[in-house]
């Protein structure tokens, strides 16, 4: 199929590159000429494991980038709308969605064949039918369901493993307003063999996306609340508590041969310093706002956000418990991205932690294998030393704060032993054994 992907952010670029890898003819569209040039030069404007390789393999063959939306739509069978939907504190901002819908509508005016417009941006239930479709009709002068189709296809991509998630999905959700729309979307996903495909209406597809992210965020905040209670009670380690919970065969099923299956969802039932990124915080807040506008109080999801907002302070409390005054204290911050495998620092727990340390005049040394440039923008003007290795970061420090589950941080005990120092280690992700350090504090201990 010929596919136009409008928007080359995280979702748009990953989707476009992966669809090209599956054999579709893909044109990525963006009004940022610098991005377009980078993509056409096989250079990804974002970091994502495996993306550069797929981009290099497909650019100039099944994949190209352009700023010409009209031409891309006119020469494609389906358009994927994958622009940003930033959250303004009260609701998602649809200005980019509206603008692209208008431009696609104007292009549809010139098309005679049945073109399908698919929303991939995360939008609250009702947006595709009540915002996007009317704009497409208004600016095309045509009728949805008769002259063109409108669908909603939410993405379920995890940063750091987005390529694998797209290429090997656990589900494909296809929202659509008519049978013909679903048929076109079926053809789009035909190369994905053996995948559960759920067909529904657009509003339900939108709700599935928000519900999925809200469930995972709820599991994290639930685990953090149990961790905080465990620490307050004393004599309880949340690591052991959750290990016992995970052994429930409804959580980790036991096969007939006695082998236990440990599903990936159990990683969300672990205590830590909170969730971040572009999805969970924004999506939960947006659903709260959307629910309240419909007369629902959304008390549970409000609690999820409140707990997450306070969780980085748990890390700081463990540090200040040993050092009530941190002025002049040498502190190593290991991990700045909100999760491993990405340079994304949006809503990262590291941000309030580092800001507090800097405000209290601690001497901060920081390490992250990919997020350093993002950090320099976020903490612009602050006196932070960025280091290229874990060894350099911890050299001579009084305390170490572990904030991201980067694999190389598993070597921290050996690194400290080799250097010959025993700083306080505050494990904000509970990824290291508490018995590996002389001075250790961890979430939920």
């Amino acid at each position: 199929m010929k596919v136009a992907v409008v928007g080359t952010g995280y979702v748009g670029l990953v989707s476009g590159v992966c669809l090209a890898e599956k054999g579709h003819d893909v044109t990525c569209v963006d009004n940022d000429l610098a991005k377009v040039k980078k993509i056409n030069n096989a250079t990804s404007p974002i970091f994502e494991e495996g993306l550069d390789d797929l981009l290099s393999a497909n650019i100039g063959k099944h994949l190209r980038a352009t700023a010409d939306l009209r031409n891309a739509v006119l020469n494609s069978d389906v358009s994927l709308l994958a622009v940003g939907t930033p959250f303004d504190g009260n609701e998602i901002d649809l200005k980019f969605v509206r603008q692209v819908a208008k431009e696609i509508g104007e292009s549809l005016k010139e098309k005679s064949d049945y073109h399908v417009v698919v929303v991939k941006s995360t939008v609250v239930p009702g947006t595709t039918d009540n915002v996007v479709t009317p704009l497409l009709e208004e600016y095309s002068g045509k009728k949805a369901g008769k002259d063109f189709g409108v669908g909603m296809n939410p993405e379920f991509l995890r940063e750091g493993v987005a390529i694998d998630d797209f290429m090997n999905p656990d589900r494909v959700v296809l929202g659509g307003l008519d049978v013909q729309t679903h048929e076109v979307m079926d053809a789009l996903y035909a190369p994905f063999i053996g995948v559960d495909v759920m067909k529904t209406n657009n509003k339900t597809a939108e709700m599935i996306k928000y519900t999925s992210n809200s469930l995972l965020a709820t599991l994290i905040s639930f685990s953090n609340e149990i961790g905080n209670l465990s620490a307050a009670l004393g004599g309880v380690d949340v690591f052991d508590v959750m290990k016992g919970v995970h052994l429930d065969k409804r959580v980790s099923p036991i096969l007939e041969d006695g082998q236990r299956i440990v599903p990936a969802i159990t990683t969300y039932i672990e205590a830590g310093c909170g969730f971040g990124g572009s999805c969970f915080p924004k999506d939960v807040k947006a659903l709260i706002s959307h629910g309240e506008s419909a007369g629902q109080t959304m008390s549970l999801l409000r609690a999820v956000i409140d707990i997450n907002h306070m969780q980085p302070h748990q890390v700081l409390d463990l540090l200040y418990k040993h050092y009530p005054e941190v002025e002049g204290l040498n502190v190593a911050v290991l991990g700045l991205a909100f999760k491993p495998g990405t340079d994304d620092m949006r809503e990262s727990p590291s941000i309030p932690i580092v800001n507090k340390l800097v405000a209290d005049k601690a001497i901060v040394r920081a390490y992250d294998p990919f997020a350093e440039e993002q950090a320099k923008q976020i903490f612009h003007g602050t006196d932070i030393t960025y280091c290229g290795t874990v060894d350099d970061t911890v050299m001579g420090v009084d305390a170490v704060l572990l904030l991201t589950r980067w694999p190389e941080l598993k070597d921290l005990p050996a690194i400290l032993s080799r250097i010959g120092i025993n700083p306080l280690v505050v494990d904000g992700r509970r990824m290291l054994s508490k018995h590996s350090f002389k001075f250790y504090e961890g979430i939920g201990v």
Side-chain angles (χ1 to χ4, degrees):
M1 294 183 70
K2 293 184 177 180
V3 184
V5 180
V6 186
T8 62
Y10 181 79
V11 173
L13 187 57
V14 169
S15 299
V17 170
C18 289
L19 287 172
E21 177 69 12
K22 285 290 187 178
H24 293 299
D25 189 65
V26 180
T27 301
C28 289
V29 183
D30 204 293
N31 59 8
D32 186 333
L33 294 178
K35 273 190 175 184
V36 169
K37 184 177 180 180
K38 272 191 170 185
I39 294 168
N40 284 327
N41 287 331
T43 303
S44 173
I46 61 173
F47 173 77
E48 177 63 35
E49 190 71 35
L51 183 57
D52 282 332
D53 291 340
L54 285 188
L55 183 58
S56 296
N58 287 282
I59 200 70
K61 299 173 184 176
H62 300 298
L63 180 69
R64 69 204 58 80
T66 181
D68 189 344
L69 182 146
R70 172 184 169 276
N71 188 61
V73 172
L74 291 178
N75 290 284
S76 62
D77 307 302
V78 57
S79 297
L80 305 185
L81 195 160
V83 295
T85 53
F87 186 73
D88 67 5
N90 293 309
E91 59 185 5
I92 59 171
D93 187 345
L94 295 175
K95 63 183 177 184
F96 300 122
V97 171
R98 293 177 187 275
Q99 181 59 37
V100 169
K102 292 176 183 177
E103 293 180 25
I104 293 176
E106 290 171 344
S107 301
L108 291 180
K109 188 184 297 183
E110 303 178 49
K111 292 205 72 168
S112 57
D113 56 334
Y114 195 88
H115 187 91
V116 172
V117 180
V118 178
V119 176
K120 280 200 74 69
S121 300
T122 299
V123 292
V124 294
T127 302
T128 300
D129 292 337
N130 301 331
V131 177
V132 175
T133 300
L135 286 171
L136 291 171
E137 291 182 328
E138 178 184 351
Y139 284 85
S140 69
K142 297 181 177 181
K143 184 67 177 175
K146 176 186 176 185
D147 303 309
F148 63 89
V150 183
M152 204 285 154
N153 172 220
E155 51 83 16
F156 300 99
L157 306 179
R158 296 169 297 164
E159 292 191 44
V161 289
I163 298 297
D164 185 62
D165 281 348
F166 197 101
M167 298 297 282
N168 303 287
D170 49 14
R171 70 207 131 154
V172 172
V173 176
L174 304 179
L177 59 75
D178 62 356
V179 173
Q180 194 169 353
T181 295
H182 277 139
E183 288 175 349
V184 171
M185 296 172 78
D186 274 338
L188 181 66
Y189 282 97
F192 296 80
I193 308 298
V195 179
D196 286 332
V197 177
M198 180 178 179
K199 295 179 183 177
T200 184
N201 59 39
N202 291 326
K203 198 170 186 179
T204 300
E206 292 162 337
M207 190 64 173
I208 289 171
K209 167 64 176 182
Y210 274 95
T211 303
S212 178
N213 279 356
S214 294
L215 170 62
L216 298 176
T218 299
L219 290 175
I220 294 171
S221 282
F222 166 78
S223 302
N224 286 336
E225 183 157 79
I226 296 300
N228 297 340
L229 176 59
S230 297
L233 292 174
V236 179
D237 187 338
V238 74
F239 180 86
D240 297 325
V241 171
M242 290 310 180
K243 182 178 180 180
V245 171
H246 292 177
L247 290 175
D248 185 327
K249 63 184 178 182
R250 291 166 297 184
V251 177
S252 301
I254 302 174
L255 301 180
E256 290 185 2
D257 63 2
Q259 180 183 358
R260 184 178 290 275
I261 302 298
V262 182
I265 198 170
T266 58
T267 62
Y268 294 89
I269 316 176
E270 295 175 346
C273 55
F275 57 78
S278 63
C279 295
F280 286 6
K282 182 189 78 168
D283 291 355
V284 176
K285 292 174 185 176
L287 193 57
I288 290 170
S289 176
H290 197 60
E292 290 178 344
S293 70
Q296 299 298 308
T297 58
M298 311 301 289
S299 302
L300 175 60
L301 293 186
R302 277 202 171 278
V304 168
I305 291 297
D306 290 343
I307 292 168
N308 192 63
H309 177 72
M310 294 304 299
Q311 203 61 22
H313 298 283
Q314 297 291 330
V315 173
L316 290 167
D317 288 346
L318 294 174
L319 172 65
Y320 283 66
K321 171 179 157 185
H322 292 262
Y323 297 100
E325 298 293 333
V326 300
E327 183 174 354
L329 190 76
N330 289 284
V331 181
V333 175
L334 301 181
L336 297 167
F338 85 96
K339 64 176 289 188
T342 179
D343 62 350
D344 195 345
M345 283 188 63
R346 285 174 290 184
E347 303 273 356
S348 174
S350 68
I351 297 174
I353 291 172
V354 170
N355 281 336
K356 175 63 173 171
L357 292 174
V358 170
D360 289 350
K361 300 181 180 179
I363 301 171
V364 179
R365 300 169 65 82
Y367 166 80
D368 193 287
F370 294 110
E372 182 177 323
E373 292 307 312
Q374 297 286 339
K376 287 178 178 177
Q377 296 178 35
I378 292 171
F379 303 124
H380 179 70
T382 58
D383 190 15
I384 298 171
T385 300
Y386 296 95
C387 303
T389 67
V390 178
D391 293 59
D392 289 344
T393 313
V394 301
M395 189 72 69
V397 299
D398 304 297
V400 176
L401 308 185
L402 194 157
L403 305 182
T404 312
R405 283 180 168 271
W406 288 109
E408 57 263 45
L409 299 185
K410 291 181 180 179
D411 296 330
L412 183 61
I415 292 171
L416 296 181
S417 177
R418 184 171 65 249
I419 294 174
I421 59 174
N422 288 299
L424 168 68
V425 174
V426 180
D427 189 351
R429 293 298 180 185
R430 294 306 307 272
M431 66 178 291
L432 302 173
S433 169
K434 61 186 176 183
H435 304 296
S436 298
F437 306 96
K438 184 175 182 180
F439 304 105
Y440 177 90
E441 292 282 359
I443 296 292
V445 179

